[in-house]
Amino acid sequence: MKIVILERSSVGEDVSVDCIGKLGDLTIYDNTVRVEEVQERVKDADIIIANKSPLREETLKDAPDVKLICEFATGYDNCDLAYCTSRGIKVANVRDYCTAMVAQHTFTLALALSQKLFYYDEYVKSGEYSTQSRFSHFDLPFYELEGKTWGIIGMGNIGRRVAKIATAFGCRVIFYSITGRSNYREYPQVNKETLLRESDFVSLHCPLSDLSRNFIDRDALKKMKKDAVLVNVARGGVVNNADLYEALEAGEIAGAGLDVVEKEPLETGNPLSRLKDSNRLIITPHLAWASVEARRRCVEEACLNIAAFLRGEERNIVNP
């Protein structure tokens, strides 16, 4: 089997992919973005491993031997599933490999914003703390999580982990299902308006779809509390970035922590790039999933997907 990794850099050079090399004749590319690059690099492949590279008719039509596409990710929106199915190409993703890290990052962002950590760190490092007469400084108010309401959009594996952590902090947890089909009963399921109106923290853990695109827009932001904190560790398109910028500038919500933006990397034309106040907005470069442990699990799971396929078994296949 000829195996091609199109985006080796997506899992980091500090994580080995040697296990994949044991499964076939492996060709590795650090990154593959342009359509013509994909076309050329997959034309002789039996198995393709990718993350964001576009895999659709345009890039696969001249690759007659492709039998399996393996994602170095849970998401597979870079693949045209309908086309792959029509060709008999199976698509496999990696599941639940970064749940712990994404949940951890959710609270990293929320706590940094709610406790004004950037302000207080700068206060000490600027030398101002050393010149004051009293032992403490708390002039910029901050608040406890205990007793607050934490609203979750998307109660999958990550949402459930976040719910448990929020509960441990003493929060009341409520959630909203994008599809309306959730039968999860451990926490109260509410409608969108109730969640936005009652939540002190809103965290997003849903996939990007026609139902979730621009889920947080101008109208949604106006329904949130003025002292609420929004955290998006899902997909950039779930939050309308221009509307969020206007809401933050107008003081309609207290802060936002984002690990994802509408187009990545962050473009200078995105209005959020102009907001430099880290007490109101923190943006990290799509790294919530990327602990060393999670990236190792990602590669290991991809290896297991390929090994199962070679045995004639279906593992984590997302298309019929």
Side-chain angles (χ1 to χ4, degrees), residues 7-12 15 51-52 72-74 97-103 105 158 233-235 259-260 264 284-299:
E7 298 162 275
R8 171 69 176 84
S9 64
S10 69
V11 292
V15 171
N51 187 310
K52 303 297 183 192
F72 268 160
T74 300
Y97 71 100
C98 61
T99 297
M101 187 61 233
V102 177
H105 197 66
I158 294 171
V233 291
R235 289 291 182 266
D259 186 55
V260 287
E264 297 167 347
T284 52
H286 203 146
L287 54 71
W289 65 279
S291 65
V292 172
E293 296 90 342
R295 288 183 286 115
R296 284 175 181 159
R297 284 192 293 268
C298 182
V299 173

Side-chain angles (χ1 to χ4, degrees), residues 57-91:
E57 182 174 7
E58 181 183 18
T59 53
L60 296 173
K61 60 184 175 63
D62 295 322
D65 299 325
V66 176
K67 303 170 183 65
L68 175 69
I69 294 171
C70 252
E71 296 283 3
F72 268 160
T74 300
Y76 44 86
D77 48 310
N78 62 314
C79 288
D80 183 338
L81 290 189
Y83 175 75
C84 289
T85 300
S86 73
R87 282 271 309 272
I89 300 170
K90 296 296 184 180
V91 179

